[in-house]
Amino acid sequence: MIVELKKNATRDQIDLLENWLRDKGIRVTETQGEENVVLGLVGKAAKSIDEKMIESLEIVETTKSVKEPFKRANRKFHPEDSVIDINGVKIGGGNFAVIAGPCSVESPEQITEVAKAVQASGATLLRGGAFKPRTSPYDFQGMKAEGLELLELAKAETGMPLVTEIMNAAHLPLFENVEVLQVGARNMQNFELLKAVGRTNKTVLLKRGLANTLKELLMSAEYIMSEGNPNVILCERGIRTFETHTRNTLDLSAVPALKELSHLPVVIDPSHATGIARMVEPMAMAAAAAGADGLMIEVHNDPAHALCDGPQSLTPAQFDRVMKRVNLIREAMNADI
Ligand code: PEP
Ligand code: MN
């Protein structure tokens, strides 16, 4: 249930109501809206509360029941866009952030060279896989703990916060110096992993599964948020369809759909969505035009020799061009009309 409070509700009155609800076993979230405070009531106990009685309280403007099974991720719970601050890099609510870097960390030279190049072009977050989910067990599985150390090296040189995939909750201690935990497409419904990252205070980049609906993606976000971590970024990275020309099919309509349903930032990954480097630019521009809050793009200093996902990786020069063109789209989006 959503409880919209009156504009003139005082802090003491709000605290009194919240404590009373919590004593009944209800989990309460508070959001400061543009003009008034909105409370979100979740948990089994919230179902038994008398909506009419809540509505009759002096400080309550109105109540609404939320039919969707995702509550904390729901825009009804949090009418404003969520803005996530990652060590000073903001995403959401008009803040556009670009995550760039290689598919996999391969060497100190590779990751620092790519980090410096993408930063010079305007990327604000550095990606690089250390633990890689590969279809074949015989393919390069990532540099693992050593890869994380190399990412830290690149962060020390550039100051860029890190985004890297976690596949196993037991690895969490290794990710201490990582700012954004990526939950990859293949793990979108690994509920134990979702709960574990939900118990951390790190931002989570949650990628949509290859064959998952938007509602399922939001339910996975809910798993993370219900553990107390509100910092979730949703990522559309293409889904499986009958089309085989591209690696996946980019569902761009996910951007307006997710932003309608949820307050969480939405980013597009045109690299995994298409699997083809020359298609990254048009899809990145289209994502910006569709209202995405950011992009995740794979960039490699030598794509032809990349240990993973070379065909979809941009060179730093290609990435620089994409950034310039995306910025033009962003300017057009911000124009007053
Ligand atoms: C990745 O970003 O490196 C990755 C493996 O992506 P996805 O989980 O979307 O396939
Ligand atoms: Mn990749």
Short mmCIF file of all heavy atoms in Angstrom, two decimals, residues 102-104 127 132 207 247 269 271-272 298 308-309 312-313, ligand 2:
data_model
loop_
_atom_site.label_atom_id
_atom_site.label_comp_id
_atom_site.label_asym_id
_atom_site.label_seq_id
_atom_site.Cartn_x
_atom_site.Cartn_y
_atom_site.Cartn_z
N PRO A 102 36.79 -3.07 -21.42
CA PRO A 102 36.82 -4.34 -22.15
C PRO A 102 35.84 -5.37 -21.58
O PRO A 102 35.41 -5.25 -20.44
CB PRO A 102 38.26 -4.82 -21.95
CG PRO A 102 38.67 -4.21 -20.66
CD PRO A 102 37.97 -2.88 -20.58
N CYS A 103 35.52 -6.36 -22.41
CA CYS A 103 34.70 -7.46 -21.92
C CYS A 103 35.43 -8.07 -20.73
O CYS A 103 34.87 -8.18 -19.65
CB CYS A 103 34.50 -8.50 -23.02
SG CYS A 103 33.49 -9.88 -22.47
N SER A 104 36.71 -8.42 -20.93
CA SER A 104 37.49 -9.05 -19.85
C SER A 104 38.77 -8.28 -19.59
O SER A 104 39.39 -7.76 -20.52
CB SER A 104 37.91 -10.46 -20.26
OG SER A 104 36.81 -11.18 -20.71
N ARG A 127 34.31 -0.61 -16.79
CA ARG A 127 33.91 -2.00 -16.72
C ARG A 127 35.08 -2.90 -17.10
O ARG A 127 36.04 -2.47 -17.76
CB ARG A 127 32.70 -2.33 -17.61
CG ARG A 127 32.95 -2.26 -19.10
CD ARG A 127 32.05 -3.23 -19.88
NE ARG A 127 32.49 -4.61 -19.74
CZ ARG A 127 31.70 -5.67 -19.71
NH1 ARG A 127 30.40 -5.52 -19.83
NH2 ARG A 127 32.19 -6.90 -19.60
N LYS A 132 34.26 -14.50 -15.64
CA LYS A 132 33.47 -14.47 -16.88
C LYS A 132 32.52 -15.66 -17.00
O LYS A 132 32.96 -16.80 -16.88
CB LYS A 132 34.42 -14.51 -18.09
CG LYS A 132 35.30 -13.28 -18.27
CD LYS A 132 34.53 -11.98 -18.41
CE LYS A 132 33.49 -11.98 -19.50
NZ LYS A 132 32.66 -10.76 -19.45
N LYS A 207 21.39 -7.13 -14.98
CA LYS A 207 21.13 -7.29 -16.41
C LYS A 207 19.92 -8.20 -16.63
O LYS A 207 19.72 -9.17 -15.88
CB LYS A 207 22.38 -7.84 -17.10
CG LYS A 207 23.56 -6.86 -17.00
CD LYS A 207 24.74 -7.27 -17.83
CE LYS A 207 24.79 -6.54 -19.15
NZ LYS A 207 26.00 -6.87 -19.94
N ARG A 247 23.45 -10.89 -32.30
CA ARG A 247 23.68 -11.85 -31.20
C ARG A 247 22.41 -12.01 -30.35
O ARG A 247 22.05 -13.10 -29.92
CB ARG A 247 24.84 -11.33 -30.34
CG ARG A 247 25.23 -12.25 -29.22
CD ARG A 247 26.47 -11.73 -28.49
NE ARG A 247 26.84 -12.61 -27.39
CZ ARG A 247 27.81 -12.38 -26.53
NH1 ARG A 247 28.55 -11.29 -26.65
NH2 ARG A 247 28.06 -13.23 -25.56
N ASP A 269 22.89 -1.83 -22.98
CA ASP A 269 24.18 -2.40 -23.37
C ASP A 269 24.06 -2.80 -24.85
O ASP A 269 23.56 -3.89 -25.16
CB ASP A 269 24.46 -3.63 -22.49
CG ASP A 269 25.66 -4.45 -22.95
OD1 ASP A 269 26.19 -4.20 -24.05
OD2 ASP A 269 26.05 -5.37 -22.21
N SER A 271 26.39 -3.47 -26.88
CA SER A 271 27.45 -4.39 -27.30
C SER A 271 26.96 -5.84 -27.27
O SER A 271 27.03 -6.55 -28.28
CB SER A 271 28.68 -4.23 -26.38
OG SER A 271 29.08 -2.89 -26.33
N HIS A 272 26.45 -6.27 -26.09
CA HIS A 272 25.94 -7.64 -26.02
C HIS A 272 24.62 -7.77 -26.78
O HIS A 272 24.28 -8.86 -27.24
CB HIS A 272 25.78 -8.07 -24.56
CG HIS A 272 27.10 -8.23 -23.87
ND1 HIS A 272 27.70 -7.20 -23.20
CD2 HIS A 272 27.96 -9.29 -23.80
CE1 HIS A 272 28.87 -7.61 -22.74
NE2 HIS A 272 29.06 -8.87 -23.09
N GLU A 298 31.36 -2.07 -24.64
CA GLU A 298 32.65 -2.77 -24.58
C GLU A 298 33.66 -2.10 -25.53
O GLU A 298 33.37 -1.88 -26.72
CB GLU A 298 32.47 -4.25 -24.94
CG GLU A 298 31.81 -5.00 -23.78
CD GLU A 298 31.76 -6.50 -23.92
OE1 GLU A 298 31.92 -7.02 -25.05
OE2 GLU A 298 31.54 -7.17 -22.90
N CYS A 308 37.85 -12.18 -25.31
CA CYS A 308 36.41 -12.40 -25.21
C CYS A 308 35.68 -11.26 -25.90
O CYS A 308 36.03 -10.09 -25.70
CB CYS A 308 36.05 -12.45 -23.71
SG CYS A 308 34.34 -12.81 -23.39
N ASP A 309 34.69 -11.58 -26.72
CA ASP A 309 33.79 -10.59 -27.33
C ASP A 309 34.48 -9.53 -28.20
O ASP A 309 34.01 -8.38 -28.28
CB ASP A 309 32.94 -9.91 -26.25
CG ASP A 309 31.84 -10.83 -25.73
OD1 ASP A 309 31.62 -11.90 -26.33
OD2 ASP A 309 31.20 -10.48 -24.72
N GLN A 312 32.37 -7.54 -31.01
CA GLN A 312 31.44 -6.47 -30.61
C GLN A 312 32.16 -5.31 -29.92
O GLN A 312 31.52 -4.34 -29.51
CB GLN A 312 30.34 -7.01 -29.69
CG GLN A 312 30.83 -7.44 -28.31
CD GLN A 312 29.82 -8.28 -27.56
OE1 GLN A 312 29.05 -9.04 -28.16
NE2 GLN A 312 29.78 -8.17 -26.25
N SER A 313 33.48 -5.45 -29.78
CA SER A 313 34.23 -4.42 -29.04
C SER A 313 34.64 -3.28 -29.96
O SER A 313 35.11 -3.50 -31.08
CB SER A 313 35.48 -5.04 -28.40
OG SER A 313 35.09 -6.03 -27.48
MN MN B 2 31.25 -9.31 -23.12
#
